[in-house]
Amino acid sequence: MLPGGLYRFVLPKLAILLLALFLGLLTPATSRLGRPTVLILAAIVGTYVIAALSSEDLLAAFVGRWPRYEGLPVLLLYVGLLAVGARVLGGSSAAKSRQYLVHGLCFSMLILAPIAVAEAAGLRPLGGADDTRPGATLGNATDLGLAGLVACLLLLPTALWSKNTLAQIGAAAAGVVTVTSGSRACILIVVICGILLFGFKAFQLFKSGRPVHAIAAFAGFMGVAAVLSWSIPSVAERLFSMETVTGRVYLWEASLQTLSSNAFLGLGAGQFVDALPSHLSDAFAKNVGTDFPADSPHMVLLQLVSAGGLFFLLSVAAAVCTVIVIGFRRIRTAPLNEHKLFLIGALVAICGYGFALMTHFTSPGTTALVCVLAGAILGNAPVLEGPAKSRRDKALDVARLSAVGLALVGALLAGVAASAEIPMKSGTDLAAGGDIPQATKEFEQAKTLRPWDQDIDLLAAQAFAVRAVTGDTTAAAAATTWARAAVERNPSSMEALTALAIGQLGTGDVPAARKTLDTQIDRSPWTSEPHLLRGLAKASGQDMEGAIADIERAAALTPKPERELNILSELYVVSGQPDKAAEVEERLARAR
């Protein structure tokens, strides 16, 4: 996490992960990936590159986009960490390294647990708005749940079948992290996997003549899970809420529509957020809302198709199947020792993570660890030393050293890119406070540090647009300038067009604003904000009938129409229709 940054949680992690890749590739190998696995990983990268080359925005497809930046460099990072997992954690001789990983995860969970508990209680020890679900150092509540899920499931077998006290404490802390995240998918998966593992442990205790211990172990797990889930109001409320479940269904329907004509090669990384608005519906807008555009389908299968097409999805599926098959085979044939317990935990964690991604998306904060665990399962080929090395082994050494150099360069670049988050945060705060010239300097500095990131223009434009809404004409002019740059780099961005329209309205250029808003509405008639802004633009031109029609449409396209109904009531009053204004006030009372 980068204190003082605008979005503090991804680029700093990428810098550390690239440094870990650099060090991991220099570490003496205990095992390595087999040739079939290497070919599958090459297919994953190859299919992604082919899809990226066919994307409408080549730069975004290769480098990724804010906030997770999962382009080709991050994909290569995931592949490299899988190889490091095999190199450092694979094989029977890597017991010490696996112990370090277990201990590291335990301490990580002991740090995350109190933060997660505090956030679940409504506190904000790391900052953030009171009305959002925080996610500790993961930045996203479901990502926090995924981190807890992976750690808990990895540690549980060691905690249950060994006398490793630290693993037992770590597994308990990871369970607390998972529950307090409020992620229903993560909680459900941990409970199901916990029932299976505790149930098998109880069965063994029962067979060994210790029925009381068996009942206590199983009942204790269920009791603790229930108490944790129901004793925290924010978690209990989400467990019985169907709002996000319904929203996921609408999002998946819209995602399928978006991908239906691009399934073969996909849209390219970072393109989903701009392609989705043209495939929405009235039902989506009314039940989900369009104020915060989704940048992922929130289902890993659709996410993979969106980023790289069907062949990319099939390549990743082949890698997952390979991990599962090899994992089962090794677990079945291995004696009950440290390595077997680690393999069981790793395989369960990977499968649990995959199931949780059926309602979420990948991110560097969670996917990296899963890749390392997958590599630990797949690492099986013997490592040859000295003159016994074949020509192929020497070629692999050359490739490895090349990857070492690239990882070091990537870590340095990611560090510089992460540092841009500090002027981004400063610029946003200055814009909110009305110091537009200084805010502009801060955003320009961020752009210098991250010239490849097209979303800096967009984020700056949005920051100035927030201030422009208050009537600050200087902020409106800045919003127009930055939004035009964002639209020039990405003409399909609905968010950039919205910021541009706000800036144009704020500077009094109503005809230009109406033209911008017409473009948005033609492209996506289901997005609420353009209708609202066009209604305000028409009202400023005394077209009250048109303004009322647009505001009515905006109110119909949002699940929480209080703002729209307030404006609509005022318009009816101004236009001399008090009866209509009273009706709107009744609707507003019901909406509240």
Side-chain angles (χ1 to χ4, degrees), residues 536-559:
L536 295 174
K538 288 179 179 179
S540 70
Q542 302 303 310
D543 179 7
M544 301 307 294
E545 183 179 351
I548 288 171
D550 268 328
I551 303 297
E552 281 278 15
R553 179 63 174 159
L557 292 174
T558 178

Side-chain angles (χ1 to χ4, degrees), residues 184 229 232-242:
R184 284 166 295 191
S229 299
I232 303 173
S234 59
V235 175
E237 181 182 354
R238 282 190 55 79
L239 287 175
F240 295 100
S241 170
M242 293 299 293

Side-chain angles (χ1 to χ4, degrees), residues 344-473:
I344 294 172
L347 186 59
V348 174
I350 291 168
C351 292
Y353 179 75
F355 280 117
L357 288 186
M358 297 305 288
T359 61
H360 196 54
F361 45 77
T362 60
S363 71
T366 58
T367 308
L369 177 58
V370 175
C371 290
V372 171
L373 297 180
I377 291 174
L378 292 172
N380 64 344
V383 178
L384 301 178
E385 300 293 345
K389 282 189 176 182
S390 66
R391 217 178 303 176
R392 174 175 172 269
D393 295 319
K394 293 177 181 178
L396 288 175
D397 282 343
V398 172
R400 178 174 62 85
L401 292 175
S402 299
V404 166
L406 289 174
L408 182 57
V409 172
L412 295 173
L413 292 176
V416 172
S419 69
E421 293 296 330
I422 294 176
M424 288 290 291
K425 178 66 165 63
S426 177
T428 301
D429 291 342
L430 288 166
D435 190 349
I436 307 306
Q438 190 59 40
T440 299
K441 291 181 181 178
E442 294 292 333
F443 286 125
E444 287 173 349
Q445 181 184 351
K447 198 168 181 179
T448 301
L449 293 169
R450 220 155 68 201
W452 46 267
D453 186 359
Q454 69 181 41
D455 289 311
I456 287 182
D457 292 319
L458 171 61
L459 295 170
Q462 289 177 321
F464 288 123
V466 170
R467 178 69 184 183
V469 171
T470 66
D472 188 327
T473 56

Side-chain angles (χ1 to χ4, degrees), residues 133 140-150 152-153 174-194 221 229 235 238-239 349 352-361 366:
R133 287 176 63 211
N140 176 282
T142 304
D143 277 358
L144 177 65
L146 287 170
L149 176 150
V150 171
C152 184
L153 297 183
V176 170
V177 169
T178 306
V179 172
T180 51
S181 74
S183 171
R184 284 166 295 191
C186 294
I187 294 171
L188 180 63
I189 291 167
V190 165
V191 168
I192 291 174
C193 293
F221 169 76
S229 299
V235 175
R238 282 190 55 79
L239 287 175
Y353 179 75
F355 280 117
L357 288 186
M358 297 305 288
T359 61
H360 196 54
F361 45 77
T366 58

Side-chain angles (χ1 to χ4, degrees), residues 2 26 62 68 85-86 158 160 199 228 258 279 310 323 325 343 356 370 431 438 481 506 530 548 552-553 562 579:
L2 179 67
L26 291 176
F62 271 101
R68 294 186 305 281
T158 301
L160 288 173
L228 277 175
T258 305
H279 299 84
L310 286 173
V323 171
V325 170
L343 289 174
V370 175
Q438 190 59 40
T481 300
I548 288 171
E552 281 278 15
R553 179 63 174 159
E562 290 91 341
D579 293 341

